[in-house]
Amino acid sequence: MAYTARMLITRAYYLSQIVSRQLQTVSGEQIEDGLFLLNALLQFKSTDLREIPYFKRDAITLVAGQEEYFIEKLLYVDALTYNIGDVRYPMRQLTRHEFFDTGRIDGIQALPFSYRPEREKGGMRIYLYFLPQGNYVMKLSGKFGLDEVTLDTDLSLEYDPFYIEFLRYQLAEYICSDYGATFPDESKAKLRAYEAKILDVSPADLSISKTTFFPGRSPWDW
C-alpha cells in the first residue's frame, strides 16, 4: 500500500495535537507548510548518516576517459571497487586536498586506483584517478536517502514502515517547534526511544584499513 508524503504530513499534524483528529481536518495551507518542514527535515537528516539506516549496492558502468560520475540520492560511500571480468580491483578514497590539490599528470587513462566523493544537491559526484581506460563495471556500497519529496511521493518505495513511523514522530516534533507549541511528553519519549533504535540499524563501518601503494609490487599486475 502506498504511503505518500501527504499522508505522513497529515498524520504528523494529528500526532502533534496542533490539529485535533476528531474535530478538525488538516487545511491545505497546513499541508503546504508541512511539506516545507518535511523537506527541511529530510535535508538536515542527510547530514547525520547515523539516522539513515539504508545501505544499497549499485553498479555503474564506467566510460573510458570519463573522470566524474553523479549518483542520485547517494549520501555516503562505504566501499567502491570495479570489475574487469571476474576480477575485482580496489580503489582508495582520498581527501579533498590529496585528490584536487596535489601534483599529478591529468588525462592519463589506465586502471583507476583512487577516488574522491563530493556531495552535491540531489546526490553525490564521484571523481576517479586514473581515468578509466575501458568500460569497467564500478560497484558501490553506500547510504542512500531522499532529501526532497512532493506531496504525492510514495515513501514506501524508499523506506520501511518502521522508518516512516520514525519520520512521522520527528516531523510532528518539528511542527510543534514551528508553531511554538509543546510536543506531548509521551510522544517525545517514544521519539527518543525510536532515535536510539535507529542508530543500531545498519551502522557505518568505522574500521580503519591502511593501504600502502606500490611498495615494490603493484596490486594490478601491469
Side-chain angles (χ1 to χ4, degrees), residues 49 55 73-78 119 124 140-144 204-206:
L49 298 173
F55 279 92
K73 302 178 186 177
L74 177 62
L75 304 174
Y76 165 75
V77 177
D78 193 54
R119 282 285 299 273
M124 182 171 286
L140 179 151
S141 178
K143 285 201 170 189
F144 289 75
D205 184 358
L206 300 180

Side-chain angles (χ1 to χ4, degrees), residues 47-80:
T47 67
D48 189 352
L49 298 173
R50 297 172 305 166
E51 289 193 355
I52 299 176
Y54 293 97
F55 279 92
K56 178 182 174 183
R57 290 281 288 169
D58 203 0
I60 302 100
T61 300
L62 302 180
V63 178
Q66 181 173 318
E67 178 187 21
E68 55 189 79
Y69 301 82
F70 182 77
I71 294 93
E72 291 184 353
K73 302 178 186 177
L74 177 62
L75 304 174
Y76 165 75
V77 177
D78 193 54
L80 194 64

Side-chain angles (χ1 to χ4, degrees), residues 19 28 36 98 100 109 135 144-145 149 153 158 174 211 214:
V19 178
F36 176 84
E98 288 173 329
F100 294 112
Q109 295 189 28
N135 298 329
F144 289 75
V149 297
T153 298
E158 297 285 341
Y174 215 42
T211 303
F214 310 121

Side-chain angles (χ1 to χ4, degrees), residues 9-24:
I9 293 166
T10 300
R11 297 188 67 220
Y13 267 106
Y14 290 143
L15 179 62
S16 72
Q17 298 185 10
I18 297 295
V19 178
S20 173
R21 187 185 299 269
Q22 284 78 27
L23 302 176
Q24 299 171 291

